[in-house]
Amino acid sequence: MEQGAVDAEVARIQRELIALRRDLHRHPEMPGQEQRTAGVVARELRAAGLTVATGVGGGHGVIGILHGARRGRTVAYRADMDAVPPKDIVGGGPAAAHVCGHDIHTTVALGVARVLARLRRQLRGTVVFLFQPAEETLSGARALIDAGVLERTGVAEIHALHCGPFPVGTFAVTPGYGLPGQDKAEVTLPGPGAPDAARRLAAEIGALATVAPPQTPADIERLLTDALTPDGPLARFVAVRARAQEAGVSVAYRCWPQERYGEVRADIRRLAMSWAGAAVRFPSEPFPAMVCPERDARMLAHHLRRAMGREAVTELHAAFPPFSGEDFALYLDRVPGTFTFLGVRAPHAPITAGYPHYPDFAPDERAVGVGVRAMAGWIAERTHRARGLPGGSGGSGGSGGSGGSGRGGPTTPTGSRTSG
């Protein structure tokens, strides 16, 4: 598929996409409550001619399936739909708000679907669009995976964009990096001196951190510079939040690389056990880090430079700094793919206008068209490839077989309602 044809289609619908993004932005919905958003998504996908499944995963997941005119591979594209809960907005907020850019992610995915549907005669293979609820609570991806979406559609690889504080028109690829996972601990302390002991223990556990949350825009700028620096200070880090409670300490922490979780758990146990009668509990296994296959990201970078210009691509040399998780990790644990940051920072705007979860997050809407141009071309290239991404096994669908054909194989996720 020629990039020129993609660009022409994007130019034709760009104003409509911006209007759609504004509509989604005005109606943010909490994780797991994305009923209206899911309805808009399903309507747009049906209008474009895709096969649509709603209610996927027992909630508001929506799947759209687009078959190309010729045989090829099956490739997935994922967008998250939920807004940020008030407690997760930096400084707190009065209500849920789209300050993580999921309204843009959803709009870009719908734009890619519309463009590729219009160019269906030039498209090989099958594209599976996953519109996922509840990313902010790290539960939506699990629900879709447990519904059998990847296996039943024969997905060979999966791709996604996420808004980032880079100049509009640019992308940041993540070869070998991505986003950290998360682990939690609860420490209980006995006796009448527990509150004082908890305050002191919280300070001791907090001192395990090697990086602190940013307090100013200058701090954010420094963290981004560190992430762009090979072998820089974020190549290995521990970020800890330890809060004293009435009779114990609540701990949440992230680290990179994820192999350090065992080390940090041992440090928390050691510090807690220095207090007589203390008990430590880790409620669950650590949520996994999202690690992007290195060769796959470099292939995408090559495509973006060719399609969007050589200056359009930068490369992160560390996990995106460093205080958020991403349940796209669960997809990448099963099939290869890419996760790339879409620059949304307007010229001369403060960095917080492009940094997710800040209350003044205000992405430049030109990023919508940029994202659609880039991802429509990339997805069309991936469905056309005769072989899987070199960084992965090719996924459950692989190349060839029912999952890799344009018309073969099952296409209806478990527990969904379908319509043409």
Side-chain angles (χ1 to χ4, degrees):
M1 183 178 294
E2 292 293 331
Q3 185 66 40
V6 170
D7 293 348
E9 287 297 326
V10 175
R12 187 180 64 82
I13 64 173
Q14 185 155 318
R15 288 188 179 180
E16 297 173 25
L17 293 177
I18 289 176
L20 176 60
R21 182 260 165 173
R22 291 176 181 176
D23 174 71
L24 295 174
H25 188 80
R26 288 193 298 267
H27 298 90
E29 294 175 299
M30 290 276 285
Q33 300 177 19
E34 307 89 344
Q35 182 174 0
R36 182 187 185 275
T37 305
V40 171
V41 167
R43 179 196 72 205
E44 293 291 323
L45 293 174
R46 291 185 182 112
L50 278 68
T51 300
V52 178
T54 60
V56 181
H60 298 300
V62 181
I63 308 299
I65 297 175
L66 174 64
H67 296 294
R70 293 177 285 178
R71 293 177 65 85
R73 302 171 68 246
T74 298
V75 174
Y77 187 83
R78 176 269 209 168
D80 36 14
M81 302 186 294
D82 53 329
V84 179
K87 66 181 180 62
D88 293 329
I89 299 172
V90 175
H98 273 302
V99 294
C100 197
H102 295 189
D103 51 338
I104 286 185
H105 304 169
T106 297
T107 304
V108 168
L110 289 171
V112 173
R114 289 182 61 176
V115 167
L116 294 182
R118 288 271 298 185
L119 300 174
R120 187 193 306 249
R121 293 177 63 85
Q122 302 176 44
L123 180 68
R124 293 181 181 269
T126 297
V127 186
V128 179
F129 292 91
L130 279 64
F131 290 87
Q132 179 200 305
E135 189 281 325
E136 292 293 339
T137 55
L138 300 180
S139 59
R142 173 68 66 192
L144 266 59
I145 290 168
D146 288 349
V149 168
L150 298 180
E151 291 81 4
R152 291 180 63 84
T153 56
V155 167
E157 60 191 65
I158 188 166
H159 305 276
L161 288 179
H162 197 294
C163 293
F166 306 97
V168 64
T170 68
F171 301 83
V173 297
T174 53
Y177 295 96
L179 284 162
Q182 177 177 276
D183 196 15
K184 295 182 179 181
E186 298 291 336
V187 183
T188 55
L189 296 160
D196 181 62
R199 287 189 291 271
R200 294 166 65 185
L201 179 58
E204 292 175 354
I205 294 174
L208 295 172
T210 64
V211 61
Q215 301 299 315
T216 67
D219 291 342
I220 301 174
E221 296 276 15
R222 176 181 52 78
L223 287 172
L224 281 179
T225 298
D226 290 345
L228 294 166
T229 304
D231 299 317
L234 291 181
R236 291 176 60 85
F237 69 79
V238 179
V240 180
R241 184 182 64 200
R243 292 179 174 174
Q245 298 175 330
E246 185 64 23
V249 180
S250 175
V251 184
Y253 71 95
R254 305 181 190 276
C255 62
W256 193 275
Q258 64 180 340
E259 290 75 18
R260 297 190 71 180
Y261 283 120
E263 167 193 332
V264 178
R265 282 191 169 195
D267 287 338
I268 292 172
R269 286 193 183 97
R270 173 179 54 80
L271 291 171
M273 290 303 101
S274 67
W275 296 85
V280 182
R281 183 176 70 93
F282 294 93
S284 62
E285 289 299 307
F287 192 89
M290 185 190 72
V291 184
C292 299
E294 183 173 356
R295 293 182 67 191
D296 308 350
R298 296 199 187 284
M299 288 181 66
L300 173 57
H302 176 75
H303 165 82
L304 292 173
R305 290 187 179 105
R306 186 176 68 244
M308 313 297 289
R310 292 198 59 81
E311 301 304 314
V313 182
T314 189
E315 181 177 322
L316 294 179
H317 296 279
F320 188 78
F323 308 109
S324 58
E326 170 56 70
D327 69 359
F328 194 76
L330 301 181
Y331 301 115
L332 290 182
D333 281 348
R334 288 159 177 79
V335 293
T338 62
F339 184 95
T340 304
F341 290 98
L342 170 68
V344 298
R345 186 179 181 183
H348 312 298
I351 193 165
T352 49
Y355 201 96
H357 286 227
Y358 275 79
D360 59 338
F361 181 76
D364 190 320
E365 289 180 321
R366 290 176 295 176
V368 171
V370 173
V372 177
R373 288 177 56 207
M375 289 294 103
W378 172 239
I379 297 301
E381 180 176 313
R382 296 311 310 157
T383 60
H384 178 79
R385 292 278 177 166
R387 297 173 59 190
L389 285 167
S393 63
S396 57
S399 56
S402 63
S405 68
R407 294 280 178 181
T411 56
T412 303
T414 300
S416 62
R417 300 180 293 278
T418 62
S419 62

